Amino acid sequence: MTDQTRLPLGGMSAETFLRDYWQKKPLLIRGAFPDFQSPLEPDELAGLACEDNVEARLVELEGPDKAWQVSHGPFDDETFARLGRKDWSLLVQAVDHYVPDVAELLEHFTFIPRWRLDDIMASFAPPGGNVGAHVDNYDVFLLQASGQRRWQLGDVMSEDAPIIDGIDLRILADFQVIRDQDWVLEPGDMLYLPPRVAHHGISQSEDCMTFSVGFRAPSMDEMVTSWADYLGEQLEESSRYHDPDLEASSDSALINDVTLARVREQMLAALDNPEQMAQWFGRTMTQVKYPDQLMPPATLASEDTLTRALEEGDLLEPAPGSRLAWHPQGERATLFVDGDGHACSPALARRLTGNRILDQEILLLEGAGALLVTLINCGSLRWVDEDEDLDDDDEFADD
Ligand code: SIN
Ligand code: CO
């Protein structure tokens, strides 16, 4: 059972939400976060959009060159200075990696596996700002952080739904709002959308900020390719197509059904490897969104320095953007961190993926010291508070 008090589901249980809505139909949750105060100011968001390595987009209904113009960050003062008081949106990905108070929101979404999470995108829009009617391939929770946004929903759209030609965005050419699926969201309200539901969100009469808590699902194309690559590396060179049951044939060019049945049987036998599949899936689903953001420490840790620091009261936490998961296998477990697998005890795996803050008590668990050193030295764990504060840029300050 999930802790109901932290659930942003308006009193609905996680079980009901997952059974009736998740991946099935939209849900509007009024007051999902009662008395919500945005943990992010518009000028902080603008500051982030000016930083290198932060993924940011600007969508202008009437851009300097064309309608629906999309520009990519990093932006600068000049960009913000030319924007008017309406009809544009600034969208910044992975704000949870940069703003701990935004990352905190994720603690309310633990009823969905963490390895399904993509990121929290934040968007700022003055009145009229929007990105057009569109579909996304992922599940998303759209949390109104400040101001109001009107959301209109349409049907679930197929891959070949017509889109407007010749613009930077994939805007639906034919968007029909479903009657009753048209709401103005206030701060703290949240809208859940399953994949491919057409939606259109327009900032109302004041500046608006929306957080998109996005969950990812790899495409079958990615899964099949990645699984075959992983498995291919594990297979012996000597493991080959074999046909000791070969029968004489009058046509030496023929690929007959017996051959194809043999190929299928051998391929399926090689692919059906649950143990390796667990190893592959854990590694794949914990790959980081931005590999460049994993920063190994300037001075590498050793078990001695680690033990001393923890005993002195220092605390460890996953680096922002680090992805952790685990899988039990009998008495042992694999801990997956940022695309790697580490054999350890189930107790250690559970502890490392549970409470985010780690103190010296973790050293009581078998194998903890060596594993923590590995994770610190590849940048997946870091000491609490070693990060610098973000610069307070003031791009949106009133003149
Ligand atoms: C936005 O925040 O402006 C758009 C979010 C979305 O529709 O996915
Ligand atoms: Co969308």
Side-chain angles (χ1 to χ4, degrees):
M1 283 291 261
T2 348
D3 177 2
Q4 302 282 339
T5 55
R6 294 179 72 82
L7 284 178
L9 298 174
M12 185 184 289
S13 70
E15 289 75 12
T16 304
F17 171 77
L18 294 173
R19 186 193 64 209
D20 296 344
Y21 296 95
W22 174 250
Q23 297 242 300
K24 298 167 198 78
K25 58 184 180 192
L27 176 66
L28 171 67
I29 309 154
R30 292 277 182 207
F33 289 82
D35 306 316
F36 188 74
Q37 296 290 325
S38 178
L40 184 69
E41 292 300 320
D43 50 349
E44 275 180 90
L45 190 71
L48 280 173
C50 294
E51 303 224 353
D52 285 333
N53 303 323
V54 170
E55 195 181 335
R57 282 168 298 159
L58 185 63
V59 175
E60 293 168 85
L61 271 65
E62 290 300 335
D65 307 323
K66 54 186 165 173
W68 293 110
Q69 188 166 340
V70 179
S71 338
H72 295 268
F75 300 113
D76 53 22
D77 292 355
E78 234 170 81
T79 319
F80 292 110
R82 77 167 162 73
L83 295 170
R85 298 295 307 151
K86 62 182 181 69
D87 295 347
W88 54 269
S89 299
L90 172 69
L91 304 106
V92 181
Q93 295 297 143
V95 171
D96 53 309
H97 295 198
Y98 318 117
V99 186
D101 287 346
V102 173
E104 276 276 300
L105 288 171
L106 296 172
E107 300 307 318
H108 297 268
F109 292 88
T110 51
F111 58 100
I112 300 164
R114 184 67 180 247
W115 46 262
R116 278 284 254 119
L117 177 77
D118 183 15
D119 67 350
I120 300 185
M121 180 189 82
S123 71
F124 170 86
N130 74 95
V131 299
H134 65 280
V135 297
D136 299 307
N137 279 321
Y138 299 163
D139 302 86
V140 67
F141 292 86
L142 297 156
L143 168 61
Q144 195 56 32
S146 59
Q148 290 88 27
R149 189 184 286 271
R150 179 179 183 184
W151 283 106
Q152 297 175 301
L153 307 189
D155 281 322
V156 173
M157 306 307 281
S158 65
E159 201 83 49
D160 54 9
I163 53 163
I164 300 177
D165 276 339
I167 56 170
D168 294 347
L169 288 165
R170 292 182 60 81
I171 297 181
L172 292 167
D174 180 23
F175 174 64
Q176 308 279 348
V177 184
I178 298 177
R179 213 152 59 89
D180 301 336
Q181 307 259 296
D182 184 342
W183 309 283
V184 174
L185 269 69
E186 302 282 340
D189 292 348
M190 190 165 75
L191 179 61
Y192 163 71
L193 295 182
R196 303 208 64 81
V197 169
H199 56 285
H200 191 200
I202 307 171
S203 172
Q204 300 296 285
S205 56
E206 52 187 273
D207 291 349
C208 133
M209 176 113 74
T210 304
F211 293 157
S212 299
V213 183
F215 287 84
R216 70 214 158 100
S219 68
M220 273 304 146
D221 166 9
E222 286 165 331
M223 295 233 285
V224 168
T225 313
S226 148
W227 167 228
D229 272 354
Y230 182 84
L231 189 67
E233 281 180 20
Q234 320 294 317
L235 292 171
E236 302 285 338
E237 183 66 12
S238 58
S239 170
R240 282 173 183 270
Y241 170 78
H242 47 282
D243 50 6
D245 50 350
L246 189 64
E247 287 181 2
S249 160
S250 55
D251 183 345
S252 66
L254 178 70
I255 297 175
N256 63 20
D257 288 348
V258 174
T259 302
L260 291 177
R262 194 188 291 121
V263 168
R264 182 164 178 267
E265 189 188 321
Q266 291 176 20
M267 290 282 281
L268 292 179
L271 288 167
D272 185 20
N273 187 332
E275 217 167 280
Q276 287 299 340
M277 189 170 273
Q279 293 298 321
W280 157 75
F281 191 68
R283 284 166 170 79
T284 296
M285 293 314 290
T286 57
Q287 274 165 10
V288 285
K289 188 174 174 82
Y290 303 112
D292 290 352
Q293 288 181 6
L294 266 193
M295 300 279 276
T299 316
L300 292 186
S302 67
E303 264 193 80
D304 277 354
T305 57
L306 167 88
T307 309
R308 209 170 320 126
L310 285 172
E311 283 174 359
E312 281 169 7
D314 289 354
L315 302 171
L316 282 166
E317 64 180 352
S322 258
R323 289 180 164 150
L324 290 94
W326 75 287
H327 174 68
Q329 289 146 301
E331 305 279 281
R332 300 291 292 166
T334 306
L335 174 77
F336 301 105
V337 187
D338 300 336
D340 268 334
H342 308 270
C344 64
S345 70
L348 183 54
R350 207 177 287 117
R351 180 68 190 81
L352 281 166
T353 52
N355 231 346
R356 290 182 70 74
I357 303 293
L358 307 170
D359 61 18
Q360 61 173 320
E361 279 194 15
I362 192 155
L363 292 174
L364 299 173
L365 296 172
E366 176 235 317
L371 184 49
L372 290 180
V373 166
T374 305
L375 298 180
I376 293 169
N377 288 344
C378 61
S380 298
L381 282 183
R382 65 171 191 180
W383 296 102
V384 172
D385 278 337
E386 72 185 14
D387 212 8
E388 288 166 32
D389 281 343
L390 289 166
D391 289 341
D392 246 7
D393 282 71
D394 220 13
E395 309 295 346
F396 293 160
D398 287 339
D399 298 338

